Amino acid sequence: MSKDDATPTLDDVARKAGVSTATVSRCLNNPDRVVEATRARVMEAVKALEYTPNFAARVMAAKRTFTIGAIIPTMDNAIFARGLQAFQEALHARGYTLLVSSSAYRPDVEEEQIRALVARGADGLLLIGHDRDAPIYEYLERQKVPALAAWSFMEDGQIPSIGFDNRAAMSALAKEVIRLGHRRIAMISGISQGNDRARERIEGLKDALRESALDVDDLEIIETTYEVENGAEAFTQLMSRDVPPTAVLCGNDVLAVGASLGAKRLGLRVPQDVSITGFDDIELARITSPALTTVHVPHREMGRKAADALIDMVEGKKKVVSAKLETSIKKRHSLGPCPGTNDDPDHP
């Protein structure tokens, strides 16, 4: 590094690492294209010299900002945390930076954030679900900004999706509840308007009831925002009915933990007096007492695959098609046989 200029340059890094400037550039911009030993030597030189790449020059050369935006509905709980962490890790491995914002489940706020991220040069956007007005998709198409949906699978959506079938997943869980003898079933759901995940989970429960020849009109559903205390309040409302449910299916684990809290307040035993199930299988589901029977969502796999697909869209490497990931039922201790029926020997 020259004595006249204390700011390290790309040439300085190349000399210190014993490689060409082109190799240094590849390490910084496309690290997966450089062998590990060379990449490690270059990054040691970058660290030793405290070299900071010229972002503006990189953007001009590549015609990209190497920035991906993600708009999630909430940061108040861990529903999206695991998937978003895996998404960020996969982006970082390919040289991209993540910008995250939260819409608070408000479509108008999400639209503002989409436009703001595009204005700041985001190369692509990760969105949650498909429920948004057509003009938003038209805007993204005009701006030539690729977008990908996660947490919901739609084979023929306006944008590709890396997600799962919310309807089928909830239907499978509801069938297990019915198999254990429950007939008086209720649901605590998230707000379904503008939320295709919540709406599809409601429909999945209804599908299971119909297949079991149970009257869907008897199903009571309380919609509320995803907060523990709201789950507790909704559960209390359900159990105050003249004929309360023997099983309460919740739209996610946060609401289910709230329902369990509500049961404790009422002096009800879970699952001996009433069964409660969740959806998502976040850490909270395993550490609450009793541990929740829930739908396991492959959050980390979804995050990784969404990152790779979105970068492929940005870089135009190949056509990206929607991918459906598999969910599974995690049987724990909050779901048991309907009171008054024989115990299920297969149930933990």
Side-chain angles (χ1 to χ4, degrees), residues 7-325:
T7 303
T9 66
L10 196 72
D11 288 332
D12 295 325
V13 175
R15 279 195 296 271
K16 187 170 183 63
V19 299
S20 68
T21 55
T23 298
V24 175
S25 181
R26 279 195 296 274
C27 283
L28 297 173
N29 298 328
N30 300 104
D32 55 331
R33 294 175 54 194
V34 183
V35 296
E36 185 177 350
T38 301
R39 186 168 65 245
R41 195 162 71 249
V42 169
M43 297 315 295
E44 285 177 8
V46 167
K47 184 176 181 180
L49 296 173
E50 296 184 345
Y51 172 72
T52 301
N54 186 324
F55 181 73
R58 184 187 183 204
V59 168
M60 290 180 65
K63 296 182 180 179
R64 294 199 300 274
T65 65
F66 297 91
T67 300
I68 298 294
I71 304 172
I72 61 175
T74 181
M75 296 182 187
D76 278 344
N77 53 57
I79 297 172
F80 300 101
R82 195 180 306 163
L84 203 62
Q85 178 65 28
F87 182 73
Q88 189 275 333
E89 290 168 1
L91 291 180
H92 179 263
R94 294 182 64 175
Y96 283 76
T97 298
L98 175 64
L99 294 178
V100 183
S101 58
S102 172
S103 67
Y105 289 95
R106 288 180 51 187
D108 58 326
V109 173
E110 185 194 54
E111 182 175 355
E112 290 175 8
Q113 291 169 340
I114 288 173
R115 293 179 181 275
L117 286 168
V118 170
R120 284 164 174 76
D123 293 324
L125 295 180
L126 177 74
L127 304 175
I128 307 301
H130 293 270
D131 259 14
R132 51 192 58 86
D133 294 335
I136 299 174
Y137 293 118
E138 294 165 2
Y139 166 76
L140 289 170
E141 189 171 353
R142 288 195 304 272
Q143 297 296 318
K144 295 182 172 56
V145 175
L148 179 78
W151 272 268
S152 179
F153 172 77
M154 184 180 293
E155 192 167 9
D156 55 353
Q158 290 189 268
I159 58 176
S161 57
I162 306 292
F164 55 94
D165 189 331
N166 285 272
R167 185 168 183 162
M170 181 59 87
S171 179
L173 178 60
K175 289 175 183 176
E176 176 64 12
V177 172
I178 294 168
R179 186 186 73 80
L180 289 170
H182 294 278
R183 298 296 181 267
R184 300 199 309 273
I185 297 170
M187 183 172 190
I188 304 174
S189 169
I191 306 299
S192 59
Q193 183 176 2
N195 184 336
D196 55 351
R197 287 91 57 212
R199 192 167 57 252
E200 289 297 297
R201 292 173 195 182
I202 291 172
E203 291 305 313
L205 172 52
K206 291 180 178 179
D207 290 343
L209 294 174
R210 293 189 191 97
E211 289 184 31
S212 301
L214 298 176
D215 193 345
V216 173
D217 292 336
D218 292 338
L219 174 64
E220 183 169 4
I221 302 170
I222 295 179
E223 295 191 7
T224 186
T225 55
Y226 295 122
E227 297 169 9
V228 169
E229 191 57 42
N230 289 350
E233 291 177 2
F235 180 85
T236 301
Q237 290 180 43
L238 291 172
M239 301 310 292
S240 68
R241 304 299 188 251
D242 291 338
V243 182
T246 63
V248 177
L249 280 67
C250 298
N252 73 4
D253 293 336
V254 174
L255 292 175
V257 168
S260 295
L261 176 61
K264 287 183 174 67
R265 290 174 179 173
L266 294 173
L268 296 173
R269 299 168 302 161
V270 178
Q272 293 88 342
D273 298 322
V274 59
S275 288
I276 295 171
T277 66
F279 196 111
D280 284 323
D281 196 23
I282 61 177
E283 186 176 7
L284 195 62
R286 297 189 295 276
I287 63 175
T288 194
S289 180
L292 288 175
T293 291
T294 187
V295 172
H296 174 75
V297 172
H299 292 102
R300 290 192 62 82
E301 179 188 7
M302 182 167 55
R304 288 192 299 268
K305 289 188 174 181
D308 287 337
L310 191 49
I311 291 174
D312 286 344
M313 293 169 70
V314 167
E315 297 181 353
K317 289 184 175 179
K318 60 183 179 181
K319 180 177 174 59
V320 172
V321 297
S322 296
K324 182 170 69 172
L325 307 182

